[in-house]
Amino acid sequence: MTSSRPYLVRALYEWIVDNDYTPHLLVNADYVGVRVPDGFASDGQIVLNVAPSAVRQLQMDNQAISFEGRFGGVPHSLHVPSAAIMAIYARENGQGMVFEVEPTPPDDETPSDEASAGTGTASRPTSGGRPSLKVVK
């Protein structure tokens, strides 16, 4: 079964924008495939303003969210796999949803012969703890 995360993120994004609030994503910046500007993540996490007025070419599908945004006035192309999204919320009131942390997949996502035969167990590194949100005023 496919993950419900990308569907929920898209629905909450639309709900937040429809209510004239500012959608923010909390992202695991250390997750494999995340492409965000260097130096803006803190403790392996980054908060991204994904309001229509803040981004260009926003694409949200079941695999990832990608868009162009500015950091310090410099344009960057960002790519966030759906599994790396830890939360989506409205900046103004904090309403939204926090997701369970998904383990980072191994660098080589090709299953080994043993794992594909069903005789072994695939090991995945686990992340250290639950996500946390910080109120920034």
Side-chain angles (χ1 to χ4, degrees):
M1 177 178 261
T2 60
S3 172
S4 61
R5 184 178 309 222
Y7 298 93
L8 293 169
V9 169
R10 287 192 302 266
L12 286 165
Y13 176 86
E14 185 176 330
W15 174 70
I16 292 167
V17 171
D18 284 352
N19 283 283
D20 294 323
Y21 288 147
T22 310
H24 279 66
L25 295 176
L26 175 64
V27 174
N28 176 354
D30 296 331
Y31 195 88
V32 173
V34 171
R35 190 173 63 234
V36 294
D38 290 333
F40 288 92
S42 174
D43 296 328
Q45 300 176 356
I46 187 169
V47 176
L48 302 172
N49 175 352
V50 289
S53 61
V55 300
R56 297 177 77 188
Q57 299 178 342
L58 179 67
Q59 295 288 338
M60 301 173 92
D61 60 31
N62 290 348
Q63 287 70 44
I65 294 176
S66 58
F67 59 92
E68 292 178 8
R70 291 186 165 280
F71 288 79
V74 178
H76 292 274
S77 180
L78 289 86
H79 179 83
V80 179
S82 294
I85 299 170
M86 300 167 67
I88 180 170
Y89 61 95
R91 179 187 67 201
E92 292 81 0
N93 62 11
Q95 288 190 333
M97 182 176 283
V98 176
F99 300 100
E100 288 186 24
V101 174
E102 289 195 15
T104 302
D107 289 334
D108 181 14
E109 292 189 30
T110 308
S112 67
D113 294 336
E114 194 175 317
S116 62
T119 59
T121 57
S123 64
R124 287 186 162 173
T126 57
S127 63
R130 298 177 53 88
S132 62
L133 292 176
K134 227 186 321 187
V135 177
V136 179
K137 294 186 179 187

